[in-house]
Amino acid sequence: MLVRLEASVNMDSPSADKALNDRMADWYAGQFKEITGGTVVRIPNEVYGDRLLCEVGQGDKQILLVGHFDTVWPQGEASRRPFHIGNGRAYGPGVYDMKAGLMQAMFAIKALQESGRFPADKKIVLLLNSDEELGSPTSRAFIEDQARKSAVSFVLEPPMEPSGALKTARKGSGRFKLAVQGVSAHAGVNPEKGVSAIQELACQIQRLHALTDPAVGTTVNVGVVKGGIGSNVVAEHAEGEIDIRVATAEEARRIESALGGLVPVLPEARLQLTGRMMRPPMERTERTAALFALARQIARAEFGVELEETHTGGVSDGNFTAAVGTPTLDGLGARGDYAHSPVEYVRIDEIPFRTALLAELIARC
């Protein structure tokens, strides 16, 4: 596993580089066939890397494993800091998010095959996405389609540290931009003839942040603001970039309605809102709770490990599988830390357990 993991980490796969991600897809397709003997269907993508639908088994009950091979790291990162091992940890770009998780998925299938416990009534589908780090803009429908065909979905994103907790709920996310058009004027000679887009944006930011409701897990954050051309000019244009996080579909509807109802405070100012909710919330359901209970029972009885569950404000493709009604258990990937950081790593000692846990879940769910 580590030899293959090293090879994958030492191949750059930045989300926006189609050529590099197509090369990565070629590599994973070959690995899946070699490790599991399964089949691979390549799903063309005109913008980003091609996606892979890797299948094993002939049963009627489809088990969906979800992962992505794109990373946040640019071309050349793998040569600047290649895969290496130290103090029981494996390091390198994308090793934690989430190339180790993909290896665990393939070897979980292999473990079931070699132990003679591959479930005859099931078909295992490993879906490998190529634009997850960008919000899966071209892959959402593809993911949702496979989820609707599946009895359960297991997501190979990393678990939550410091305890390695599985994720039974994730917030949904949205990205919006509010552009304000004002009227420029000289700030010293005739400011009364101007309408400050910056002042209007400041008023709107107060309204937006007031939509935050910690009691129900909703946050609204204007994280980037731009505007004006000089301190002696009444700003004609300003804009703010907005991040939305919601724990429920009901809150998503409330926020979208509030954003759509924004009106200017200053006379003659104009507002233009663009953007959308990128991912729906992954809400904890009774069936998701049952999946976690099964995982906890397996971990305790078979491996003497006490699993925990948690929720997070971060998002994944599990948001999509859960939103169409498929019971989804997330965080089944590799333990480690520092995702999207030059010091990201995975714990080598945890890889066998996490692989075996996934295999048992597939066999028993």
Side-chain angles (χ1 to χ4, degrees), residues 121-162:
D121 64 331
K122 294 171 183 172
K123 176 174 73 171
I124 303 173
V125 174
L126 173 60
L127 183 158
L128 297 186
N129 190 15
S130 61
D131 61 356
E132 191 276 342
E133 296 292 3
L134 302 175
S136 301
T138 66
S139 302
R140 177 174 179 171
F142 166 62
I143 296 165
E144 291 175 337
D145 178 64
Q146 289 301 316
R148 291 188 182 98
K149 300 175 183 177
S150 303
V152 298
S153 172
F154 296 128
V155 182
L156 279 305
E157 292 284 351
M160 185 70 78
E161 299 304 333

Side-chain angles (χ1 to χ4, degrees), residues 16 63 93 139 234 259 280 309 353:
I63 307 301
S139 302
V234 176
L259 292 177
E309 67 171 309
F353 162 61

Side-chain angles (χ1 to χ4, degrees), residues 308-322:
E308 298 178 5
E309 67 171 309
T310 190
H311 63 274
T312 176
V315 295
S316 79
D317 285 337
N319 290 67
F320 299 135
T321 64

Side-chain angles (χ1 to χ4, degrees), residues 86-234:
N87 298 318
R89 296 174 174 180
Y91 296 86
V95 67
Y96 177 57
D97 187 14
M98 57 175 295
K99 291 182 176 181
L102 301 185
M103 281 293 103
Q104 289 178 187
M106 294 186 189
F107 275 82
I109 296 170
K110 180 180 177 67
L112 290 171
Q113 293 171 324
E114 292 190 345
S115 64
R117 298 186 59 230
F118 190 96
D121 64 331
K122 294 171 183 172
K123 176 174 73 171
I124 303 173
V125 174
L126 173 60
L127 183 158
L128 297 186
N129 190 15
S130 61
D131 61 356
E132 191 276 342
E133 296 292 3
L134 302 175
S136 301
T138 66
S139 302
R140 177 174 179 171
F142 166 62
I143 296 165
E144 291 175 337
D145 178 64
Q146 289 301 316
R148 291 188 182 98
K149 300 175 183 177
S150 303
V152 298
S153 172
F154 296 128
V155 182
L156 279 305
E157 292 284 351
M160 185 70 78
E161 299 304 333
S163 66
L166 302 187
K167 300 163 185 176
T168 53
R170 287 181 178 269
K171 290 185 180 181
S173 68
R175 298 175 187 172
F176 295 84
K177 179 181 288 185
L178 181 63
V180 181
Q181 186 68 35
V183 179
S184 63
H186 193 294
V189 176
N190 54 358
E192 71 281 355
K193 292 185 178 180
V195 177
S196 172
I198 290 178
Q199 181 183 355
E200 176 66 36
L201 179 60
C203 295
Q204 296 298 333
I205 289 173
Q206 294 298 314
R207 288 178 169 178
L208 290 166
H209 278 247
L211 296 171
T212 293
D213 187 349
V216 294
T218 297
T219 59
V220 179
N221 180 65
V222 181
V224 178
V225 294
K226 303 174 185 177
I229 59 172
S231 62
N232 61 343
V233 181
V234 176

